Amino acid sequence: MSEVAVIGLDLAKSVFQVHGIDVQGQVVLRRRLSRGQVLKLFEKLPASVVGMEACASSHYWARELSALGHEVKLMPAQYVKPYVKRGKNDAADSEAICEAVTRPTMRFVGIKTPDQQAAMMLHKVRRILTRQRTQLANALRAHMAEFGITAAIGRIGLDRLLVIVADDGDTRIPADARISLTMLAEQLAMVKRQILANDRRIMTHARRSDTGRRLMAIPGIGPLLASAFVASVPDPSVFSTGRDLSAWIGLTPRQYSSGSAIRLGAISRAGNRYLREMLIVGAMAVIRYARGGSARNPRLTELLARKPAKLAAVALANKNARTIWAIMSSGEPYREARAA
């Protein structure tokens, strides 16, 4: 039997599927494995190109197989889907992965280290805690409104409601209701403390790396976004240009072109939604200070005179994404563009 040259590995929680071909493209390996059998099989196989779909556990398996001498390549699942033949099963998926990884124009995902995954987990947990804070605040407002107690929108209004909950002498709230509202208030206070502790860890991570410190010099890029880019883009050389990074985030226009007719629509909104949201939020913060006609960024001031603020924010976010790629790729500090 010929030696295996390329392997497609379909990942799962418990049952894995392997599809291998030799240098001529002939199928030489088809096997269904349990989780404990995966590393034992790859220890016996010669060094091969191993393709996998990028998912939650793919970075762990990529590190493990790379340590055994294999060349591991991760691919976005949506780029593997066109190679799946009729029907959907693990064997067909592993065969499609094996076919897709051999394509010369395939785009691959950088393999993250455990530290980069841990840093990105800080951001994911922060989003969960932020949603919980919003849910608790809305529940507190809604329950107190049942007794005719309302407050203004925002943090100050919520603080006034919390004072009423803590006041046992306020007879507008029944005793049983006060017990329930106190539970919500305690949960809200705990979530706020956890968010604050999480933000401090993210701040430390952003300032710890040289790349993070250089990214924070860009207007509209704070510690949160700098840390997210350092964790999400382990290898900027995966992207050929800054536009490729911007397209991966989903900030480039969607094309509806044919022949010589070029039509550009709204942004594609494909790719990393978290980075796209944070870039646009940061751009809106810059626009808030540029609306007064600041001479620091005359191009932005000119754009705001012609376009709506949110459209200008998307354009600035697109520009910042390209600037981030240039800084991460070259290792140079941020240099502000001079006015003509």
Side-chain angles (χ1 to χ4, degrees):
M1 183 177 70
S2 302
E3 285 191 348
V4 179
V6 181
I7 298 174
L9 177 60
D10 183 50
L11 301 176
K13 294 180 180 178
S14 303
V15 180
F16 297 71
Q17 185 73 33
V18 175
H19 183 95
I21 60 176
D22 58 15
V23 291
Q24 283 79 30
Q26 299 297 319
V27 179
V28 295
L29 176 63
R30 279 199 188 103
R31 192 170 301 179
R32 183 184 175 124
L33 305 172
S34 65
R35 187 179 184 89
Q37 295 174 327
V38 176
L39 294 181
K40 294 179 181 179
L41 173 65
F42 280 90
E43 286 175 353
K44 301 175 183 178
L45 294 176
S48 311
V49 176
V50 181
M52 294 185 293
E53 291 180 333
C55 63
S57 62
S58 61
H59 297 278
Y60 163 76
W61 288 110
R63 293 192 298 267
E64 293 294 321
L65 298 183
S66 296
L68 297 178
H70 299 280
E71 182 184 358
V72 182
K73 297 183 177 181
L74 304 182
M75 299 167 288
Q78 61 267 34
Y79 292 164
V80 178
K81 180 64 176 177
Y83 296 94
V84 179
K85 296 183 176 66
R86 183 177 299 179
K88 170 69 175 71
N89 54 64
D90 293 345
D93 290 345
S94 62
E95 182 181 353
I97 294 170
C98 186
E99 174 68 22
V101 76
T102 61
R103 298 301 89 198
T105 58
M106 178 56 62
R107 298 174 182 175
F108 300 102
V109 177
I111 301 174
K112 293 185 176 68
T113 64
D115 290 339
Q116 289 169 332
Q117 284 187 285
M120 201 60 212
M121 191 175 294
L122 290 173
H123 293 267
K124 294 176 181 178
V125 171
R126 184 183 185 275
R127 297 196 74 181
I128 294 174
L129 293 174
T130 303
R131 286 198 296 266
Q132 290 178 350
R133 181 181 62 184
T134 303
Q135 291 171 353
L136 290 169
N138 289 342
L140 195 68
R141 287 177 177 274
H143 289 316
M144 295 189 71
E146 295 178 12
F147 301 101
I149 304 173
T150 60
I153 297 175
R155 185 185 61 186
I156 296 177
L158 182 62
D159 291 341
R160 291 174 180 172
L161 293 179
L162 293 173
V163 171
I164 297 174
V165 171
D167 185 8
D168 294 333
D170 195 322
T171 58
R172 291 178 294 176
I173 303 177
D176 290 340
R178 188 180 300 280
I179 293 174
S180 300
L181 293 173
T182 301
M183 293 178 184
L184 293 178
E186 291 174 353
Q187 288 287 329
L188 182 61
M190 182 185 68
V191 169
K192 287 182 177 179
R193 290 194 300 269
Q194 291 174 337
I195 292 175
L196 182 59
N198 189 279
D199 287 345
R200 289 171 178 167
R201 295 291 302 173
I202 293 176
M203 178 85 69
T204 302
H205 176 263
R207 293 177 175 175
R208 187 189 307 158
S209 65
D210 179 65
T211 303
R213 291 192 297 271
R214 286 187 282 111
L215 293 183
M216 284 191 290
I218 304 173
I221 308 299
L224 195 66
L225 191 50
S227 172
F229 264 101
V230 172
S232 301
V233 188
D235 183 13
S237 63
V238 172
F239 304 98
S240 302
T241 62
R243 190 186 186 282
D244 291 344
L245 175 61
S246 183
W248 173 68
I249 297 174
L251 288 170
T252 53
R254 185 188 298 274
Q255 289 198 28
Y256 300 90
S257 305
S258 177
S260 59
I262 299 177
R263 299 182 181 88
L264 300 180
I267 58 173
S268 64
R269 298 185 182 180
N272 196 310
R273 180 178 181 181
Y274 179 68
L275 293 180
R276 182 171 66 253
E277 289 178 353
M278 296 303 296
L279 280 168
I280 294 177
V281 169
M284 286 299 297
V286 175
I287 288 175
R288 190 176 300 115
Y289 291 97
R291 277 178 167 172
S294 173
R296 184 176 180 181
N297 196 337
R299 293 181 180 177
L300 181 59
T301 304
E302 180 185 353
L303 181 61
L304 287 172
R306 297 183 288 107
K307 300 292 183 179
K310 290 189 177 180
L311 193 149
V314 173
L316 180 59
N318 189 357
K319 177 179 177 296
N320 283 344
R322 302 181 187 216
T323 303
I324 288 171
W325 176 86
I327 291 176
M328 295 183 70
S329 300
S330 65
E332 297 181 3
Y334 172 72
R335 294 187 296 274
E336 190 170 348
R338 297 180 179 179

